[in-house]
């Protein structure tokens, strides 16, 4: 009757009443549901048709699976194609999945259409490149596996796990942060701080001044900060996102902190400019969509993107961060900024205060803990470069960073 109604040979309303009699729960349930889909499509009810199709996308009996797939392709047109699936930072507390899309994909629409099923986060209407494995097992961080079927990609979650999705551009990507159900921290276990030395590897040296390169100096700063934390607060645990001169994806840095269940995240950098700058100094950034032009240029350089793409990312981040997390990040920024500046001025009294600012640094996106990016000095200013060449100055900066972290931890714990 549904097919006759489609052909104009039967009354659609009568066909619907007959389908009600048969019902979708019996042995002919799949065929009845498909007939309902056809009638809904006939009546111009596209959303109702898609809703009726949804249960068949993973559980259609073989007898009607082919027709279900054909209707799915018609009613859920492809809005993007997944070219690559990458998993970062899989740990006990969480995991980050990056889906790289084709350039024509509508990443924002895909992010907004992600739906939570039973222990799964599902993307509909996706094409999948033939090189993407049908199954990517994970088994950590609340994510069992990433699996795809025609027109659908599914992140299979553990009970109690949750996933959030952010769309990014150039290249088009979907960033999915999965949070596992969190166990209680063991009694007496100290807070965990993740220090992120920026840049690294032959292709990403950061700023430079003569033989001084940012990638080398910030690694030294992070290692000295870790040692200073050990002296100032022996109970604090520290992880570095890199411990040698090697490249680390921006996606992986915050993912590592999330997966480890870190309490604080501090990304350490040195500022620089090929243009003449009136003054150098210390700057500390928190993730926020509100930023000035100079901050957007700096964020574009650190993100490896163009300034207008930073503005797009700002728009996508609207409402993404929780208000209390922003407030905690600002408190961390206050403490780290003040103590770093104070310590640096002991050896370089002219060290300027460039302030605490907001910017859209990709390395901070998705952090589930208070997170800041510190530009500890201005490498392309000659007086600061000369100071940075001296181990005593780097040691002073590291002591300042560590003191600020300890101060922030005390504030967070209310002690």
């Amino acid at each position: 009757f549904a097919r006759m109604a489609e052909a104009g040979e039967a009354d659609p309303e009568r066909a619907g009443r007959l389908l009600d009699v048969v019902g979708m729960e019996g042995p002919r349930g799949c065929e009845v549901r498909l007939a309902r889909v056809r009638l809904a499509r006939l009546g111009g009810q596209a959303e109702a048709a898609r809703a009726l199709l949804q249960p068949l996308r993973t559980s259609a009996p073989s007898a009607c699976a082919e027709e279900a797939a054909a209707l799915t392709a018609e009613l859920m047109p492809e809005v993007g194609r997944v070219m690559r699936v990458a998993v970062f930072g899989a740990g006990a507390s969480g995991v980050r999945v990056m889906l790289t899309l084709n350039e024509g994909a509508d990443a924002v629409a895909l992010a907004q259409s992600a739906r939570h099923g039973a222990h799964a986060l599902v993307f509909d209407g996706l094409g999948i490149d033939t090189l993407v494995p049908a199954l990517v097992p994970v088994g950590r961080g609340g994510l069992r596996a990433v699996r795809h079927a025609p027109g659908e990609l599914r992140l299979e979650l553990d009970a109690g796990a949750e996933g959030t999705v952010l769309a990014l551009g150039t290249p088009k990507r979907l960033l999915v942060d999965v949070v596992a159900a969190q166990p209680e921290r063991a009694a007496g276990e100290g807070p965990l701080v993740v220090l992120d030395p920026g840049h690294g590897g032959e292709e990403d040296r950061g700023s430079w001044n003569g033989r001084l390169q940012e990638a080398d100096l910030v690694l030294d700063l992070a290692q000295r900060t870790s040692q200073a934390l050990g002296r100032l607060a022996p109970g604090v645990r520290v992880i570095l996102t890199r411990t040698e001169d090697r490249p680390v994806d921006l996606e992986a840095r915050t993912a590592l902190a999330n997966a480890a269940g870190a309490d604080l995240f501090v990304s350490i950098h040195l500022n620089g400019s090929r243009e003449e700058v009136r003054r150098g100094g210390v700057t500390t950034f928190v993730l926020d969509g509100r930023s000035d032009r100079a901050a957007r240029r700096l964020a574009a350089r650190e993100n490896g993107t163009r300034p207008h793409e930073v503005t797009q990312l700002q728009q996508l981040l609207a409402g993404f961060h929780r208000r209390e997390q922003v407030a905690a990040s600002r408190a961390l920024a206050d403490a780290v900024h003040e103590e770093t500046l104070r310590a640096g001025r002991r050896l370089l009294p002219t060290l300027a205060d460039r302030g605490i600012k907001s910017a859209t640094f990709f390395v901070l996106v998705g952090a589930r803990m208070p997170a800041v990016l510190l530009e500890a000095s201005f490498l392309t200013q000659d007086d600061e470069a000369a100071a940075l060449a001296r181990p005593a100055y780097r040691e002073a900066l590291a002591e300042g960073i560590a003191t600020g972290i300890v101060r922030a931890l005390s504030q967070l714990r209310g002690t």
Side-chain angles (χ1 to χ4, degrees):
F1 269 95
R3 294 188 187 280
M4 290 173 66
E6 283 184 297
E9 300 171 358
D11 176 24
E13 290 190 11
R14 186 184 178 200
R17 289 195 296 271
L18 288 169
L19 290 172
D20 286 340
V21 173
V22 181
M24 291 188 290
E25 304 304 323
R28 305 292 295 275
C30 180
E31 296 170 70
V32 172
R33 184 176 289 275
L34 288 174
R36 280 285 190 195
V37 170
R38 292 196 296 273
L39 288 178
R41 181 184 58 178
L42 183 64
Q45 300 170 308
E47 286 301 320
R50 284 193 283 266
L52 285 163
L53 261 177
Q54 203 60 62
L56 299 181
R57 292 174 61 73
T58 55
S59 60
S62 57
C64 66
E66 187 174 335
E67 186 175 355
L71 283 169
T72 294
E74 181 180 339
L75 291 168
M76 297 181 176
E78 182 178 312
V79 293
R81 177 171 293 273
V82 176
M83 310 303 293
R84 176 174 176 255
V85 175
V87 178
F88 298 100
S93 296
V95 62
R96 171 171 283 185
V97 179
M98 186 176 71
L99 309 177
T100 302
L101 308 172
N102 64 305
E103 279 304 309
D106 187 342
V108 175
L110 284 168
Q112 293 172 344
S113 67
R115 60 182 176 84
H116 284 272
H119 302 313
L121 182 65
V122 183
F123 297 92
D124 288 318
L126 271 170
I128 310 292
D129 190 81
T130 54
L131 295 178
V132 175
L135 174 66
V136 179
V138 180
R140 298 194 71 188
L143 179 63
R144 296 199 300 273
V146 181
R147 188 188 303 270
H148 70 78
E152 173 188 280
L153 186 135
R154 173 180 295 262
L155 277 69
E156 299 176 348
L157 307 178
D158 291 335
E162 297 179 353
T164 56
V165 187
L166 181 67
L168 300 171
T170 314
K172 297 285 185 70
R173 289 159 291 169
L174 293 176
L175 198 65
V176 186
D177 280 316
V178 177
V179 185
Q182 298 298 305
E184 291 294 325
R185 177 167 285 178
E189 187 174 53
L192 175 61
V193 174
V194 171
L195 301 176
D196 171 45
H199 308 281
E202 292 183 7
E203 302 299 321
D204 187 7
R205 308 309 300 155
S207 299
W208 54 272
N209 191 334
R211 293 184 177 181
L212 297 175
Q213 297 188 338
E214 181 182 1
D216 300 327
L217 293 169
V218 295
L219 178 57
D220 181 75
L221 276 174
Q223 291 169 333
R224 290 176 184 273
T225 301
S226 177
Q227 294 164 3
L229 281 169
R231 295 191 298 270
L232 294 170
V236 172
R237 298 170 293 144
V238 182
I239 294 176
L240 272 63
T241 58
R242 65 180 180 96
T243 56
E244 56 189 16
D245 186 20
R246 65 179 181 87
V248 180
D249 290 332
L250 289 177
E251 293 88 354
R253 296 173 186 259
T254 311
L256 184 151
N258 286 341
D263 295 278
L264 296 178
F265 177 84
V266 179
S267 189
I268 303 174
H269 292 250
L270 295 170
N271 213 334
S273 175
R274 293 298 102 193
E275 301 172 3
E276 186 176 349
V277 176
R278 185 169 60 86
R279 62 171 187 164
V282 178
T283 326
T284 307
F285 291 92
V286 295
L287 181 67
D288 200 323
R290 299 165 294 179
S291 60
D292 60 28
R293 185 177 178 182
R296 284 196 297 274
R297 286 201 304 267
L298 178 59
R301 192 190 77 199
E302 298 288 8
N303 295 348
T305 60
R306 296 184 290 273
H308 79 273
E309 291 163 359
V310 175
T311 304
Q312 294 170 356
L313 185 55
Q314 289 172 352
Q315 296 167 353
L316 292 168
L317 282 171
F320 184 73
H321 259 38
R322 301 184 303 276
R323 184 176 301 173
E324 62 272 21
Q325 184 179 341
V326 173
S329 292
R330 289 191 176 276
L332 172 62
D334 286 339
V336 169
H337 184 83
E338 291 173 9
E339 299 296 344
T340 303
L341 188 63
R342 182 181 293 117
R345 281 175 171 171
R346 290 201 299 266
L347 278 76
L348 185 63
T350 58
L351 185 64
D353 181 359
R354 294 176 66 88
I356 298 171
K357 301 181 180 182
S358 301
T360 314
F361 287 103
F362 183 57
V363 74
L364 301 179
V365 171
R368 296 197 296 269
M369 71 294 299
V372 300
L373 185 145
L374 171 70
E375 301 277 358
S377 286
F378 215 104
L379 181 56
T380 54
Q381 295 293 93
D382 288 340
D383 59 338
E384 294 179 49
L388 285 163
R390 296 159 49 201
Y393 181 69
R394 300 198 300 274
E395 184 66 30
L397 291 177
E399 289 281 348
I401 298 168
T403 301
I405 289 171
V406 172
R407 182 176 131 191
L409 286 170
S410 297
Q411 292 170 347
L412 288 172
R413 290 179 297 187
T415 58

